[in-house]
Amino acid sequence: MNSHVRISVTDRARCLIDGAWTSCDSAPIPSFDPSDGALVGEFTVADEVGCSAAMAAARTSFDEGSWSHAPRLRASVLLDYATRIERAKGELAALLSAENGKLLHDAEHEVAAGVSELRYYGGLARNIFGRVTEIEPGLIAMLAREPLGVAAIIVPWNAPVTLLVRSLAPALAAGCTVVIKAHPEAALVTTRLVALLAEDGRIPRGVINLIHETGSEHAQSLVTSPLVDVVSYTGSTVVGKKIMAAAAGTLKRLNLELGGSAPCIVCADANLDAAVAGVVRAGISHSGQVCVAASRILVHVDVCATFSAKLVAALRAIQVGSPRDHHSQMGPLINRRARDRIISLATEAAGSGEILIAPRVPEGLPSGGHYLTPGLAAIPDSRSALLQDEIFGPLLTISTFVDDEDALARANYSRFGLAASVWTSDLKAGQRLAARLQAGTVWINQHLRMHAEIETGGFKESGLGRLHGIEGLEAFLQTKHISWTTN
C-alpha cells in the first residue's frame, strides 16, 4: 500500500528568502510520485527578483552579520539540526521515497547518513584553526582560516538529503551563508529539510535561502553573479563544464562532483558469489541512478563464464516493485524519459555486443510508474559508447580481461574517474590494482560505501574538489595572511 506524503511547511513548498517563506507570486507546480504517478505535493518557483533577493540577502548577512564569527553557535545549530532531522526521519524518508521513487529502507538510510554528516561537521565547526609563526626576530606572520562568503548549493534529485547536507553542513560550519537551489524533482523533501533548519531562531536572517525553479536560469545567475563566492554542484559532467565556463567571469571557487562510469574488476581468485552480490547491489541501488553505481564489470577470462551465469541469475531474480513494499529490491526510475533512455541504450548496445538481459517494463505494476527490470550487456570493445558514457540506470555491462595490465587499461579507458572497485581474495594484489586505478574512490571487495569522515571526489572529468571529511570543509574556507612586527 502506497502512502503519499504532503509537506507541512505550508500547503505547498515555497522559497525561503531573507528569513521569510514566499511563493514569489508564482503558480504552483505539481510533483508526482514516479512509482504510480500520484500527486505528492506542489511547489512554487522563484522569479528573477526572488533569485536576486536571495543572493543579496546572503551577501548582506555574510558581510554585515555575526554568523561567520560565531563558531560555537554554528556548531550548536548543526548539532541541534541533526537531532531534529533524526526525530523527523520517518516523515522525511516517506517523503523522499514518494518524491523520487527510492526504496523506503534506502531513504531511511539516506536520512541517517545526513544526520551523521551534520554531527561530523558540527564537531569540526569549533576546530577551524590557523597558525602563527615568527619569521625572524620581531616579524610575526599569522595565517587565518576564514569562510569564503556566499555559497550556492545546487542540489540534484537522486539523493537530495545526502547531497544537500554534505555541502550545506560544511558551508555552515565554515561560516558561509548559503543560497540553495532545489531540483524540481526533489523540491518537496529539500524544502522540508530547509524548514527544519530554519526552525532554529538563533540563525540570523539571510544565512539560509532556498529557491526553486523548473529550468536553469536561476542556476546560471548563481554561477555568474559576483555576489556568490563558491558554487557546490553535484550532477552531470555536461552541466559541470557549463558551470565552470560560466564561473570564469568572476573566478569563483567551484566544488563539482560530476558523472561516473565505475569499473568493477573481478579477479580470477575472487569470491564470485560475494562479488556478484556486491556488484548487483551497487548496480541497481536507486535503479542505478547513482553516480558511483557499479557500471562496467570487468571479469578475468578464466572465470567469466561462471561469473556471468551467476550475475544473469541474480539480476533476473531482482524483484521490481513499489518503493514502499518491503519485498521490493528495486523501485522505479525518476521519470518516463529516464526509463525510455535506458531501453534505447540497450537496443543500441545490440550493435556492439550481446544483450544478455534486455531491460523491460514489468507487468502488474501501476501504469503511471516508471519501472524497468535490470539489464546486462556483454560489450567487448572499450570504445563502445555504452562504456564511454554514463548510463545512470539499471543497465550493467560485462567484458573480460586476461591479466592485470589488461584490466587496468580497460578500467582506465574512460573520461570519468569517480569510483571503482576490485574483487579479489589477495588483499595485496587488490591494493596494487587500486593504486593504479584512475578514480577518486576505490573499494576492495565492496562497492558503494560512503562515510562522513572520508573524502570523496573525482579524477578526470568526474569533477573538482572533495566532499565529506576535512577537505569537504576546506572547500568553503580561504586563507588570509596577516603580518606585524613587535619591534
Side-chain angles (χ1 to χ4, degrees), residues 261 263 296 381-384 387-388 407-416 438 460:
S261 179
R296 296 181 288 139
D381 189 350
S382 295
R383 296 169 296 180
S384 168
L387 301 183
Q388 289 301 308
L408 288 165
R410 290 175 178 274
N412 290 334
Y413 189 74
S414 173
R415 61 195 175 98
F416 299 114
Q438 298 168 1
K460 299 189 281 190

Side-chain angles (χ1 to χ4, degrees), residues 187-359:
L188 307 184
V189 70
T190 303
T191 301
R192 187 68 189 117
L193 281 168
V194 173
L196 286 168
L197 176 58
E199 287 179 9
D200 195 323
R202 299 170 297 172
I203 302 174
R205 200 177 82 180
V207 168
I208 315 153
N209 301 273
L210 167 68
I211 57 174
H212 300 289
E213 71 169 335
T214 55
S216 60
E217 292 82 3
H218 298 338
Q220 180 80 8
S221 295
L222 292 170
V223 171
T224 57
S225 173
L227 298 178
V228 174
D229 301 292
V230 54
V231 173
S232 183
Y233 167 79
T234 302
S236 73
T237 294
V238 171
V239 174
K241 290 179 178 180
K242 292 179 180 179
I243 288 174
M244 191 171 183
T250 55
L251 288 178
K252 57 173 51 67
R253 182 88 64 87
L254 297 178
N255 193 288
L256 308 175
E257 185 183 88
L258 307 177
S261 179
C264 306
I265 298 176
V266 181
C267 300
D269 65 347
N271 179 325
L272 298 188
D273 289 331
V276 166
V279 164
V280 169
R281 185 167 54 251
I284 68 166
S285 177
H286 198 18
S287 302
Q289 299 168 126
V290 182
C291 55
V292 294
S295 181
R296 296 181 288 139
I297 318 305
L298 309 174
V299 188
H300 193 279
V301 65
D302 290 349
V303 296
C304 188
T306 301
F307 180 89
S308 181
K310 290 176 179 289
L311 182 59
V312 167
L315 288 172
R316 289 192 187 282
I318 293 300
Q319 184 163 336
V320 178
S322 167
R324 271 77 69 187
D325 184 341
H326 71 276
H327 295 294
S328 297
Q329 296 171 288
M330 194 175 91
L333 278 81
I334 187 64
N335 53 42
R336 187 175 299 275
R337 183 178 66 256
R339 186 195 70 184
D340 293 347
R341 183 181 67 84
I342 298 301
I343 294 173
S344 177
L345 285 174
T347 302
E348 293 171 9
S352 58
E354 179 185 0
I355 303 302
L356 302 179
I357 307 175

Side-chain angles (χ1 to χ4, degrees), residues 171-182:
L172 294 180
C176 293
T177 58
V178 299
V179 179
I180 301 160
K181 193 197 86 71

